[in-house]
Coordinates of all heavy atoms in Angstrom, one line a residue:
M220 N 16.8 -3.1 -3.1 CA 15.8 -4.1 -2.4 C 16.0 -5.4 -3.1 O 16.2 -5.6 -4.1 CB 14.5 -3.6 -2.7 CG 13.3 -4.6 -2.4 SD 11.7 -3.9 -2.3 CE 11.7 -3.0 -0.8
R221 N 15.9 -6.5 -2.2 CA 16.0 -7.9 -2.8 C 14.6 -8.4 -2.9 O 13.8 -8.4 -2.0 CB 16.8 -8.7 -1.6 CG 18.4 -8.2 -1.6 CD 19.0 -8.9 -0.5 NE 19.0 -10.4 -0.4 CZ 19.1 -11.1 0.6 NH1 19.3 -10.6 1.8 NH2 19.0 -12.4 0.4
G222 N 14.5 -9.3 -3.8 CA 13.3 -10.0 -4.0 C 12.0 -9.4 -4.4 O 10.9 -9.9 -4.3
F223 N 12.1 -8.1 -4.9 CA 10.9 -7.4 -5.2 C 10.4 -7.9 -6.6 O 10.9 -7.9 -7.6 CB 11.2 -5.9 -5.3 CG 10.0 -5.1 -5.8 CD1 8.9 -4.8 -4.9 CD2 9.8 -4.7 -7.1 CE1 7.7 -4.2 -5.3 CE2 8.7 -4.0 -7.5 CZ 7.6 -3.7 -6.7
V224 N 9.0 -8.3 -6.5 CA 8.3 -8.7 -7.7 C 7.0 -7.9 -7.9 O 6.0 -8.1 -7.0 CB 8.1 -10.3 -7.6 CG1 7.4 -10.7 -9.1 CG2 9.3 -11.0 -7.6
P225 N 6.9 -7.1 -8.8 CA 5.7 -6.4 -9.0 C 4.5 -7.3 -9.5 O 4.8 -8.3 -10.0 CB 5.9 -5.4 -10.2 CG 7.1 -5.9 -10.9 CD 7.9 -6.8 -9.9
T226 N 3.3 -7.0 -9.0 CA 2.2 -7.8 -9.4 C 2.0 -7.7 -11.0 O 2.0 -6.6 -11.6 CB 1.0 -7.3 -8.8 OG1 1.1 -7.2 -7.3 CG2 -0.3 -8.2 -9.0
P227 N 2.0 -8.8 -11.7 CA 1.7 -8.8 -13.0 C 0.5 -8.0 -13.5 O -0.5 -8.1 -12.8 CB 1.6 -10.3 -13.6 CG 2.1 -11.1 -12.4 CD 1.9 -10.2 -11.1
S228 N 0.5 -7.3 -14.6 CA -0.5 -6.5 -15.1 C -1.8 -7.2 -15.3 O -3.0 -6.6 -15.0 CB -0.1 -5.6 -16.3 OG 0.3 -6.4 -17.3
K229 N -1.7 -8.4 -15.7 CA -2.9 -9.1 -16.0 C -3.7 -9.4 -14.7 O -5.0 -9.2 -14.6 CB -2.5 -10.5 -16.7 CG -3.7 -11.1 -17.4 CD -3.2 -12.3 -18.3 CE -4.4 -13.0 -18.9 NZ -4.1 -14.1 -19.6
L230 N -2.9 -9.8 -13.7 CA -3.6 -9.9 -12.4 C -4.0 -8.7 -11.8 O -5.1 -8.6 -11.2 CB -2.5 -10.6 -11.4 CG -2.9 -11.0 -10.0 CD1 -4.2 -11.9 -10.0 CD2 -1.8 -11.7 -9.1
V231 N -3.2 -7.6 -11.9 CA -3.8 -6.3 -11.4 C -5.0 -6.0 -12.1 O -6.0 -5.6 -11.4 CB -2.7 -5.3 -11.8 CG1 -3.2 -3.8 -11.7 CG2 -1.3 -5.4 -11.1
D232 N -5.1 -6.1 -13.5 CA -6.4 -5.8 -14.1 C -7.6 -6.6 -13.6 O -8.7 -6.1 -13.5 CB -6.2 -6.0 -15.6 CG -5.3 -4.9 -16.2 OD1 -5.0 -3.9 -15.6 OD2 -4.8 -5.1 -17.5
H233 N -7.3 -7.8 -13.3 CA -8.5 -8.7 -12.7 C -8.9 -8.1 -11.4 O -10.1 -7.9 -11.2 CB -8.0 -10.1 -12.7 CG -8.9 -11.0 -12.1 ND1 -10.2 -11.3 -12.8 CD2 -8.9 -11.8 -11.0 CE1 -10.9 -12.0 -12.1 NE2 -10.2 -12.4 -11.0
M234 N -7.9 -7.9 -10.5 CA -8.2 -7.4 -9.2 C -8.9 -6.0 -9.2 O -9.8 -5.7 -8.4 CB -6.9 -7.4 -8.3 CG -6.3 -8.7 -8.0 SD -4.8 -8.7 -7.3 CE -5.3 -8.2 -5.6
V235 N -8.4 -5.2 -10.2 CA -9.0 -3.8 -10.2 C -10.5 -3.9 -10.8 O -11.4 -3.2 -10.2 CB -8.1 -2.9 -11.1 CG1 -8.9 -1.6 -11.5 CG2 -6.7 -2.6 -10.3
S236 N -10.6 -4.8 -11.7 CA -12.0 -5.0 -12.2 C -12.9 -5.5 -11.0 O -14.1 -5.1 -11.0 CB -12.1 -5.8 -13.5 OG -11.9 -7.1 -13.1
L237 N -12.5 -6.4 -10.3 CA -13.3 -6.9 -9.1 C -13.6 -5.7 -8.3 O -14.7 -5.7 -7.6 CB -12.5 -8.0 -8.5 CG -12.4 -9.3 -9.1 CD1 -11.6 -10.3 -8.3 CD2 -13.8 -10.0 -9.4
L238 N -12.6 -5.0 -8.0 CA -12.8 -3.9 -7.0 C -13.9 -2.8 -7.6 O -14.8 -2.3 -6.8 CB -11.6 -3.1 -6.7 CG -11.5 -2.0 -5.8 CD1 -11.9 -2.5 -4.4 CD2 -10.1 -1.3 -5.7
F239 N -13.9 -2.6 -8.9 CA -14.5 -1.3 -9.4 C -15.8 -1.7 -10.1 O -16.6 -0.9 -10.4 CB -13.6 -0.4 -10.3 CG -12.6 0.3 -9.6 CD1 -11.4 0.1 -9.6 CD2 -13.0 1.3 -8.8 CE1 -10.4 0.9 -8.9 CE2 -12.2 2.1 -8.0 CZ -10.9 2.0 -8.2
E240 N -15.9 -3.0 -10.7 CA -17.1 -3.4 -11.6 C -18.3 -3.0 -10.9 O -18.6 -3.4 -9.7 CB -17.0 -4.9 -11.8 CG -17.6 -5.4 -13.1 CD -17.0 -4.8 -14.3 OE1 -15.8 -5.3 -14.5 OE2 -17.5 -4.0 -15.0
G241 N -19.1 -2.4 -11.7 CA -20.5 -1.9 -11.2 C -20.5 -0.8 -10.3 O -21.6 -0.4 -9.7
R242 N -19.4 -0.2 -9.9 CA -19.4 0.9 -9.0 C -19.2 2.1 -9.7 O -18.5 2.3 -10.8 CB -18.2 0.8 -8.1 CG -18.3 -0.3 -7.1 CD -17.3 -0.1 -6.0 NE -17.3 1.1 -5.3 CZ -16.5 1.7 -4.6 NH1 -15.2 1.1 -4.6 NH2 -16.7 2.8 -4.0
I243 N -20.0 3.2 -9.3 CA -19.6 4.5 -9.9 C -18.5 5.2 -9.0 O -18.7 5.3 -7.9 CB -21.0 5.4 -9.9 CG1 -22.1 4.7 -10.6 CG2 -20.8 6.7 -10.4 CD1 -23.3 5.2 -10.5
V244 N -17.4 5.5 -9.8 CA -16.3 6.1 -9.1 C -16.4 7.6 -9.4 O -16.3 8.1 -10.4 CB -15.0 5.5 -9.5 CG1 -13.8 6.1 -8.7 CG2 -15.1 3.9 -9.4
G245 N -16.3 8.4 -8.2 CA -16.3 9.8 -8.3 C -15.0 10.5 -8.2 O -14.1 10.0 -7.6
S246 N -14.8 11.6 -8.9 CA -13.5 12.3 -8.7 C -13.3 12.7 -7.4 O -12.1 13.1 -7.0 CB -13.4 13.4 -9.8 OG -14.5 14.2 -9.6
E247 N -14.3 12.8 -6.5 CA -14.1 13.3 -5.2 C -13.6 12.1 -4.3 O -13.3 12.3 -3.1 CB -15.4 14.0 -4.6 CG -16.5 13.1 -4.3 CD -17.3 12.5 -5.5 OE1 -17.0 12.8 -6.7 OE2 -18.1 11.5 -5.3
E248 N -13.6 11.0 -4.7 CA -13.4 9.8 -3.9 C -11.8 9.7 -3.8 O -11.0 10.2 -4.7 CB -13.9 8.5 -4.5 CG -15.4 8.4 -4.4 CD -16.0 7.1 -4.8 OE1 -15.5 6.1 -4.0 OE2 -16.6 7.0 -5.6
H249 N -11.3 9.1 -2.8 CA -9.9 9.1 -2.5 C -9.4 7.6 -2.3 O -10.1 6.9 -1.5 CB -9.6 9.9 -1.3 CG -8.1 10.5 -1.3 ND1 -7.9 11.8 -1.2 CD2 -7.0 9.7 -1.5 CE1 -6.6 12.0 -1.3 NE2 -6.1 10.9 -1.6
L250 N -8.6 7.2 -3.0 CA -8.1 5.8 -3.0 C -6.6 5.7 -2.5 O -5.7 6.5 -3.0 CB -8.2 5.2 -4.3 CG -8.3 3.7 -4.5 CD1 -9.3 3.5 -5.7 CD2 -7.0 3.2 -4.8
L251 N -6.4 4.8 -1.5 CA -5.0 4.6 -0.9 C -4.4 3.3 -1.5 O -5.0 2.3 -1.4 CB -5.0 4.7 0.6 CG -3.8 4.4 1.2 CD1 -2.7 5.5 1.0 CD2 -4.0 4.1 2.8
D252 N -3.1 3.5 -2.1 CA -2.5 2.2 -2.4 C -1.4 2.2 -1.5 O -0.3 2.7 -1.8 CB -2.0 2.4 -3.9 CG -1.3 1.0 -4.4 OD1 -1.0 0.2 -3.6 OD2 -1.0 1.1 -5.6
P253 N -1.5 1.5 -0.4 CA -0.4 1.3 0.7 C 0.7 0.2 0.1 O 0.3 -0.9 -0.2 CB -1.1 0.8 1.8 CG -2.3 0.0 1.4 CD -2.6 0.6 0.0
G254 N 2.0 0.6 0.1 CA 3.1 -0.2 -0.5 C 2.8 -0.3 -2.0 O 2.7 -1.4 -2.5
C255 N 2.8 0.9 -2.6 CA 2.5 0.9 -4.0 C 3.6 0.4 -5.0 O 3.3 0.3 -6.2 CB 2.1 2.3 -4.6 SG 3.4 3.5 -4.4
G256 N 4.8 0.2 -4.3 CA 5.9 -0.4 -5.2 C 6.1 0.6 -6.4 O 6.3 1.9 -6.1
G257 N 6.3 0.2 -7.5 CA 6.6 1.1 -8.7 C 5.3 1.6 -9.3 O 5.3 2.4 -10.4
G258 N 4.2 1.2 -8.7 CA 2.8 1.8 -9.2 C 2.0 0.8 -10.0 O 1.2 1.3 -10.8
A259 N 2.2 -0.5 -9.8 CA 1.5 -1.4 -10.6 C -0.1 -1.3 -10.5 O -0.8 -1.3 -11.5 CB 1.9 -2.8 -10.2
F260 N -0.5 -1.0 -9.3 CA -2.0 -0.9 -9.2 C -2.5 0.4 -9.5 O -3.6 0.6 -10.0 CB -2.4 -1.3 -7.6 CG -2.6 -2.8 -7.5 CD1 -1.4 -3.5 -7.1 CD2 -3.8 -3.4 -7.8 CE1 -1.6 -4.9 -7.0 CE2 -3.9 -4.8 -7.6 CZ -2.8 -5.5 -7.2
I261 N -1.6 1.3 -9.4 CA -2.0 2.8 -9.9 C -2.2 2.7 -11.4 O -3.1 3.2 -11.9 CB -1.0 3.8 -9.5 CG1 -0.9 3.9 -7.9 CG2 -1.4 5.2 -10.0 CD1 0.1 4.9 -7.3
K262 N -1.3 2.1 -12.0 CA -1.4 2.1 -13.5 C -2.7 1.2 -13.9 O -3.3 1.5 -14.9 CB -0.2 1.3 -14.0 CG 0.9 2.2 -14.3 CD 2.2 1.5 -15.0 CE 3.2 1.0 -14.0 NZ 4.3 0.4 -14.5
G263 N -3.0 0.2 -13.1 CA -4.1 -0.7 -13.4 C -5.5 0.1 -13.3 O -6.4 -0.1 -14.0
I264 N -5.5 0.9 -12.2 CA -6.7 1.8 -12.1 C -6.7 2.9 -13.3 O -7.8 3.1 -13.7 CB -6.6 2.6 -10.7 CG1 -6.7 1.6 -9.6 CG2 -7.7 3.5 -10.6 CD1 -6.2 2.0 -8.2
L265 N -5.7 3.4 -13.6 CA -5.6 4.3 -14.8 C -6.2 3.5 -16.0 O -7.0 4.1 -16.7 CB -4.3 4.9 -15.0 CG -3.7 5.8 -13.9 CD1 -2.3 6.3 -14.2 CD2 -4.8 6.9 -13.5
R266 N -5.7 2.3 -16.2 CA -6.1 1.6 -17.5 C -7.6 1.3 -17.4 O -8.4 1.6 -18.3 CB -5.4 0.2 -17.5 CG -4.0 0.3 -17.9 CD -3.4 -1.1 -18.4 NE -3.4 -2.0 -17.3 CZ -2.3 -2.1 -16.5 NH1 -1.3 -1.4 -16.7 NH2 -2.3 -3.0 -15.4
W267 N -8.1 0.9 -16.1 CA -9.5 0.6 -16.0 C -10.3 1.8 -16.1 O -11.4 1.8 -16.9 CB -9.7 0.0 -14.6 CG -11.1 -0.6 -14.4 CD1 -11.6 -1.9 -14.7 CD2 -12.3 0.1 -13.9 NE1 -12.9 -1.9 -14.4 CE2 -13.4 -0.7 -14.1 CE3 -12.5 1.4 -13.6 CZ2 -14.6 -0.4 -13.7 CZ3 -13.8 1.7 -13.3 CH2 -14.8 0.9 -13.2
S268 N -10.0 2.8 -15.6 CA -10.8 4.0 -15.7 C -10.9 4.5 -17.2 O -11.9 4.9 -17.7 CB -10.1 5.1 -14.9 OG -10.8 6.2 -14.8
A269 N -9.7 4.5 -17.9 CA -9.8 4.8 -19.3 C -10.7 3.9 -20.1 O -11.6 4.4 -21.0 CB -8.4 4.8 -19.8
A270 N -10.6 2.7 -19.8 CA -11.4 1.6 -20.6 C -12.9 1.8 -20.2 O -13.8 1.7 -21.2 CB -10.9 0.2 -20.3
A271 N -13.2 2.1 -19.0 CA -14.5 2.2 -18.6 C -15.1 3.7 -18.7 O -16.2 3.9 -18.4 CB -14.7 1.7 -17.1
R272 N -14.2 4.6 -19.2 CA -14.6 5.9 -19.2 C -15.4 6.5 -18.1 O -16.4 7.2 -18.1 CB -15.5 6.2 -20.5 CG -14.8 5.8 -21.8 CD -15.8 5.7 -23.0 NE -15.3 5.1 -24.1 CZ -15.0 5.9 -25.2 NH1 -15.1 7.2 -25.2 NH2 -14.4 5.2 -26.2
T273 N -14.6 6.2 -16.9 CA -15.1 6.7 -15.6 C -14.2 7.9 -15.3 O -13.1 8.0 -15.6 CB -15.0 5.6 -14.6 OG1 -13.8 5.3 -14.2 CG2 -16.0 4.4 -15.0
Q274 N -14.8 8.6 -14.3 CA -13.9 9.6 -13.6 C -12.8 8.9 -12.7 O -13.0 7.8 -12.3 CB -14.7 10.5 -12.7 CG -15.7 11.3 -13.5 CD -16.4 12.3 -12.5 OE1 -17.0 11.8 -11.4 NE2 -16.4 13.6 -12.8
L275 N -11.7 9.6 -12.7 CA -10.7 9.0 -11.7 C -10.8 9.6 -10.3 O -11.1 10.7 -10.2 CB -9.3 9.6 -12.3 CG -8.6 8.7 -13.3 CD1 -7.3 9.4 -13.6 CD2 -8.2 7.2 -12.7
P276 N -10.7 8.6 -9.4 CA -10.7 9.1 -8.0 C -9.3 9.7 -7.7 O -8.4 9.6 -8.6 CB -10.8 7.8 -7.2 CG -10.1 6.8 -8.1 CD -10.5 7.3 -9.5
H277 N -9.0 10.4 -6.6 CA -7.7 10.9 -6.4 C -7.0 9.6 -5.7 O -7.5 8.9 -4.9 CB -7.6 12.1 -5.4 CG -6.2 12.5 -5.2 ND1 -5.7 13.3 -6.2 CD2 -5.2 12.1 -4.5 CE1 -4.4 13.5 -6.0 NE2 -4.1 12.8 -4.9
I278 N -5.8 9.2 -6.3 CA -5.1 8.1 -5.8 C -3.8 8.6 -5.0 O -3.0 9.3 -5.6 CB -4.8 7.2 -6.9 CG1 -5.9 6.8 -7.9 CG2 -4.0 5.9 -6.6 CD1 -5.6 6.3 -9.3
T279 N -3.6 8.0 -3.9 CA -2.3 8.2 -3.2 C -1.7 7.0 -3.0 O -2.2 6.0 -2.4 CB -2.6 8.9 -1.8 OG1 -3.3 10.1 -1.9 CG2 -1.3 9.1 -1.0
G280 N -0.5 6.8 -3.4 CA 0.4 5.6 -3.3 C 1.4 6.0 -2.3 O 2.0 7.2 -2.3
I281 N 1.7 5.1 -1.4 CA 2.8 5.3 -0.4 C 3.7 4.2 -0.5 O 3.3 3.0 -0.5 CB 2.1 5.5 1.0 CG1 1.2 6.6 1.0 CG2 3.3 5.7 2.0 CD1 0.4 6.7 2.4
E282 N 5.0 4.4 -0.5 CA 6.0 3.4 -0.7 C 7.2 3.7 0.2 O 7.8 4.7 0.2 CB 6.4 3.3 -2.1 CG 7.5 2.3 -2.5 CD 7.4 0.9 -1.9 OE1 6.2 0.4 -2.1 OE2 8.3 0.4 -1.2
L283 N 7.6 2.7 0.9 CA 8.7 2.7 1.9 C 10.0 2.8 1.2 O 11.0 3.6 1.6 CB 8.7 1.5 2.8 CG 9.3 1.4 4.1 CD1 9.0 2.6 4.9 CD2 9.1 0.2 4.7
D284 N 10.2 2.0 0.1 CA 11.5 1.9 -0.6 C 11.6 3.1 -1.5 O 10.8 3.5 -2.3 CB 11.5 0.6 -1.5 CG 12.8 0.5 -2.3 OD1 13.8 0.0 -1.5 OD2 12.8 0.8 -3.3
R285 N 12.8 3.8 -1.2 CA 13.0 5.0 -1.9 C 13.1 4.9 -3.6 O 12.4 5.8 -4.2 CB 14.4 5.7 -1.4 CG 14.6 7.0 -2.0 CD 15.9 7.7 -1.3 NE 16.1 8.9 -1.9 CZ 15.3 10.1 -1.7 NH1 14.3 10.0 -0.9 NH2 15.7 11.2 -2.2
Q286 N 13.7 3.9 -3.9 CA 13.9 3.8 -5.5 C 12.6 3.5 -6.0 O 12.3 4.0 -7.1 CB 14.9 2.5 -5.7 CG 16.3 3.0 -5.5 CD 16.7 4.2 -6.3 OE1 16.4 4.5 -7.3 NE2 17.4 5.1 -5.6
L287 N 11.7 2.7 -5.4 CA 10.5 2.4 -5.9 C 9.5 3.6 -5.9 O 8.8 3.9 -6.8 CB 9.7 1.1 -5.1 CG 10.5 -0.2 -5.5 CD1 9.9 -1.2 -4.5 CD2 10.3 -0.6 -6.8
A288 N 9.7 4.4 -4.7 CA 8.8 5.6 -4.6 C 9.2 6.5 -5.8 O 8.4 7.2 -6.3 CB 9.0 6.2 -3.3
L289 N 10.6 6.7 -6.0 CA 11.0 7.6 -7.1 C 10.5 7.0 -8.5 O 10.0 7.9 -9.2 CB 12.5 7.7 -7.1 CG 13.0 8.4 -6.0 CD1 14.6 8.2 -5.9 CD2 12.8 9.9 -6.0
E290 N 10.5 5.8 -8.7 CA 10.0 5.2 -9.9 C 8.5 5.5 -10.1 O 8.2 6.0 -11.1 CB 10.2 3.7 -9.9 CG 9.9 3.1 -11.2 CD 9.9 1.5 -11.0 OE1 10.9 1.0 -10.3 OE2 9.1 0.7 -11.5
A291 N 7.8 5.3 -9.0 CA 6.3 5.6 -9.1 C 6.1 7.0 -9.4 O 5.3 7.4 -10.3 CB 5.6 4.9 -7.9
N292 N 6.8 7.8 -8.7 CA 6.7 9.2 -8.7 C 7.0 9.8 -10.2 O 6.1 10.6 -10.7 CB 7.5 9.9 -7.7 CG 6.9 11.4 -7.4 OD1 5.8 11.5 -7.4 ND2 7.8 12.2 -7.0
S293 N 8.0 9.3 -10.7 CA 8.4 9.7 -12.1 C 7.3 9.4 -13.1 O 7.1 10.1 -14.0 CB 9.8 9.2 -12.4 OG 9.6 7.8 -12.7
Q294 N 6.6 8.2 -12.8 CA 5.6 7.8 -13.9 C 4.4 8.7 -13.8 O 3.7 8.8 -14.8 CB 5.2 6.4 -13.5 CG 6.3 5.4 -13.9 CD 5.7 4.0 -13.7 OE1 5.0 3.5 -14.7 NE2 6.1 3.4 -12.7
F295 N 4.0 9.1 -12.6 CA 2.7 9.8 -12.4 C 2.8 11.3 -12.0 O 1.8 11.9 -11.8 CB 1.9 9.1 -11.3 CG 1.7 7.6 -11.5 CD1 2.3 6.7 -10.7 CD2 1.2 7.0 -12.6 CE1 2.3 5.3 -10.7 CE2 1.2 5.7 -12.8 CZ 1.7 4.8 -11.9
R296 N 3.9 11.7 -12.2 CA 4.3 13.2 -11.7 C 3.4 14.1 -12.5 O 2.9 15.2 -12.0 CB 5.7 13.5 -12.0 CG 6.2 14.8 -11.4 CD 7.7 15.0 -11.6 NE 8.4 14.1 -10.9 CZ 9.5 13.4 -11.3 NH1 10.0 13.6 -12.4 NH2 10.1 12.7 -10.4
S297 N 3.1 13.8 -13.8 CA 2.3 14.8 -14.6 C 0.7 14.6 -14.3 O 0.0 15.2 -15.1 CB 2.7 14.7 -16.0 OG 2.4 13.4 -16.5
N298 N 0.4 13.6 -13.6 CA -1.0 13.3 -13.5 C -1.6 13.9 -12.3 O -1.3 13.5 -11.1 CB -1.2 11.7 -13.5 CG -2.7 11.4 -13.6 OD1 -3.6 12.0 -13.2 ND2 -3.0 10.1 -14.2
P299 N -2.5 14.9 -12.3 CA -3.0 15.6 -11.2 C -3.8 14.6 -10.3 O -4.2 15.0 -9.1 CB -3.8 16.7 -11.8 CG -4.2 16.3 -13.1 CD -3.1 15.4 -13.6
H300 N -4.2 13.5 -10.6 CA -5.2 12.5 -9.9 C -4.2 11.7 -9.0 O -4.8 10.9 -8.2 CB -6.1 11.7 -10.8 CG -7.0 12.5 -11.7 ND1 -8.2 12.9 -11.2 CD2 -6.8 13.0 -12.9 CE1 -8.8 13.7 -12.1 NE2 -8.0 13.7 -13.2
V301 N -2.9 11.7 -9.3 CA -2.1 10.7 -8.5 C -1.1 11.5 -7.7 O -0.3 12.4 -8.0 CB -1.3 9.8 -9.5 CG1 -0.6 8.8 -8.7 CG2 -2.5 9.1 -10.4
S302 N -0.8 11.0 -6.4 CA 0.2 11.5 -5.6 C 0.9 10.3 -5.1 O 0.3 9.4 -4.7 CB -0.3 12.2 -4.4 OG -1.3 13.2 -4.7
V303 N 2.3 10.4 -5.2 CA 3.1 9.2 -4.6 C 3.9 9.9 -3.5 O 4.7 10.8 -3.7 CB 4.0 8.6 -5.6 CG1 4.9 7.4 -5.0 CG2 3.1 8.0 -6.8
L304 N 3.8 9.2 -2.3 CA 4.7 9.6 -1.1 C 5.6 8.6 -0.8 O 5.3 7.3 -0.8 CB 3.8 10.0 0.0 CG 2.6 10.8 -0.2 CD1 1.7 10.8 1.1 CD2 3.0 12.3 -0.5
E305 N 6.8 8.9 -0.5 CA 7.9 7.9 0.1 C 7.7 7.9 1.7 O 7.7 9.0 2.2 CB 9.3 8.4 -0.2 CG 10.3 7.5 0.4 CD 11.8 8.1 0.3 OE1 11.9 9.1 -0.5 OE2 12.6 7.5 1.0
G306 N 7.5 6.7 2.2 CA 7.2 6.7 3.7 C 6.6 5.3 4.0 O 6.3 4.5 3.2
D307 N 6.3 5.3 5.4 CA 5.7 4.0 5.8 C 4.1 4.4 6.1 O 3.7 5.4 6.7 CB 6.3 3.9 7.2 CG 5.8 2.7 8.0 OD1 4.6 2.4 7.6 OD2 6.3 2.3 8.9
F308 N 3.3 3.7 5.3 CA 1.9 4.0 5.4 C 1.4 3.8 6.7 O 0.3 4.4 6.9 CB 1.2 3.1 4.3 CG 1.1 1.6 4.6 CD1 0.3 1.1 5.5 CD2 1.9 0.7 3.7 CE1 0.1 -0.3 5.6 CE2 1.9 -0.6 3.9 CZ 1.0 -1.1 4.9
L309 N 2.1 3.1 7.5 CA 1.4 2.9 8.9 C 1.7 4.3 9.8 O 1.1 4.4 10.8 CB 2.2 1.8 9.7 CG 1.7 0.4 9.0 CD1 2.7 -0.6 9.7 CD2 0.3 0.2 9.1
R310 N 2.6 5.1 9.2 CA 2.9 6.3 10.1 C 2.6 7.5 9.4 O 2.9 8.6 9.8 CB 4.4 6.2 10.4 CG 4.8 5.2 11.2 CD 6.3 5.1 11.3 NE 6.7 3.9 12.2 CZ 7.1 4.1 13.5 NH1 7.0 5.2 14.0 NH2 7.4 2.9 14.2
T311 N 2.0 7.4 8.1 CA 1.8 8.7 7.2 C 0.5 9.3 7.7 O -0.5 8.5 7.7 CB 1.8 8.3 5.9 OG1 3.1 7.7 5.5 CG2 1.7 9.6 5.0
R312 N 0.5 10.5 7.9 CA -0.8 11.2 8.3 C -1.3 11.8 7.1 O -0.8 12.3 6.3 CB -0.4 12.3 9.3 CG -0.2 11.9 10.6 CD 0.4 13.2 11.4 NE 0.6 12.7 12.9 CZ 0.0 13.1 13.9 NH1 -1.3 13.8 13.7 NH2 0.1 12.7 15.0
A313 N -2.7 11.8 7.0 CA -3.6 12.5 6.1 C -3.5 13.9 6.4 O -3.4 14.2 7.7 CB -5.0 12.0 6.1
C314 N -3.7 14.8 5.5 CA -3.7 16.2 5.8 C -4.8 16.8 5.0 O -5.3 16.2 4.1 CB -2.2 16.9 5.5 SG -1.6 16.5 3.9
Ligands
SAM1138 C1 4.8 -7.1 -2.6 S1 5.3 -5.5 -2.9 C2 3.9 -5.0 -4.0 C3 4.2 -3.7 -4.7 C4 2.9 -3.3 -5.6 N1 1.8 -2.9 -4.8 C5 2.7 -4.3 -6.6 O1 1.7 -4.9 -6.4 O2 3.4 -4.5 -7.5 C6 4.9 -4.7 -1.3 C7 5.5 -3.2 -1.2 O3 5.2 -2.7 0.0 C8 6.1 -1.9 0.4 N2 5.9 -1.7 1.8 C9 6.0 -2.8 2.9 N3 5.7 -2.2 3.9 C10 5.4 -1.0 3.9 C11 5.1 0.2 4.7 N4 5.0 0.0 6.1 N5 4.8 1.5 4.2 C12 5.0 1.6 2.8 N6 5.4 0.6 2.0 C13 5.6 -0.6 2.5 C14 7.4 -2.6 0.0 O4 8.6 -1.7 -0.1 C15 6.9 -3.2 -1.4 O5 7.3 -2.3 -2.4

C-alpha cells in the first residue's frame, strides 16, 4: 500500500476519550472500526478501557488491505473482545 499513515496514538487517545468519556460501556455492546488499518483505534480503546477500568465492548475491525488486516489480526488474536476481518466494510455482513 502507498502512503498509509496510521493515526498517531496521542490523537487516537484524544478521540477515544471524546467518544467514551462519561459513558458506561458494557461488555454486551458492539463497536465497529471500519478501515481499522493496523489497529490504531482498537489499541486506543484497549488503553482507554484499561485506564478507566471499564468493561470492554466487543470490537470488530474491518480492513481492506491484506497486510494491514494481518498486522491487526496478529496483535489482537489472543483478545476475545476483538475480531479483525479482512474485507470491505461496505460489503461485510453481520452475522
Ligand atoms: C486513513 S487509514 C486509517 C487506518 C486506521 N483507522 C488508523 O486510524 O490508523 C484508512 C484505512 O481504511 C481502509 N479502507 C478504506 N476503504 C475501506 C473499505 N471499504 N473497507 C475496509 N477498509 C477500508 C484502508 O485500507 C486504510 O487502511
